[in-house]
Amino acid sequence: MIQLGKVKGNKMVDMQLSNNKLVDRGVKMIMSEIPVSYEEGADLLKKYGSVRKAVDGFHTL
């Protein structure tokens, strides 16, 4: 997974958001990378569909 580029630091950022637990984990990862609230992180995750894209999308704004 590291060689495929699906890991950032020690967290797997390109995971399938297939249940509420993984969505919650994704929102918390976004919150740890950028200064947003839980609700804003959830909105970013919903908009971009993945943790990596949400963080990268936020940084390009």
Side-chain angles (χ1 to χ4, degrees), residues 7 15 17 26 38 46-47:
V7 177
M15 60 185 173
L17 303 170
Y38 188 89
K46 185 183 291 186
K47 178 180 177 182

Side-chain angles (χ1 to χ4, degrees), residues 1 5-8 11 16-18 21-22 24-25 30 34-35 38 40-42 45 49 51 53-54 57 60-61:
M1 288 301 172
K6 297 189 180 283
V7 177
K8 184 172 184 176
K11 297 177 180 153
Q16 295 292 323
L17 303 170
S18 58
K21 178 183 171 185
L22 293 175
D24 182 59
R25 185 177 297 160
I30 292 170
I34 54 179
Y38 188 89
E40 292 169 325
L45 188 58
V51 174
K53 290 178 186 174
T60 59
L61 295 177

Side-chain angles (χ1 to χ4, degrees), residues 3-58:
Q3 291 176 345
L4 294 174
K6 297 189 180 283
V7 177
K8 184 172 184 176
N10 64 344
K11 297 177 180 153
M12 186 157 163
V13 294
D14 288 334
M15 60 185 173
Q16 295 292 323
L17 303 170
S18 58
N19 61 39
N20 290 335
K21 178 183 171 185
L22 293 175
V23 170
D24 182 59
R25 185 177 297 160
V27 171
K28 289 177 181 175
M29 279 193 258
I30 292 170
M31 290 172 56
S32 71
E33 291 292 320
I34 54 179
V36 295
S37 68
Y38 188 89
E39 292 78 20
E40 292 169 325
D43 289 341
L44 285 170
L45 188 58
K46 185 183 291 186
K47 178 180 177 182
Y48 289 102
S50 80
V51 174
R52 179 183 302 279
K53 290 178 186 174
V55 171
D56 290 345
F58 181 82

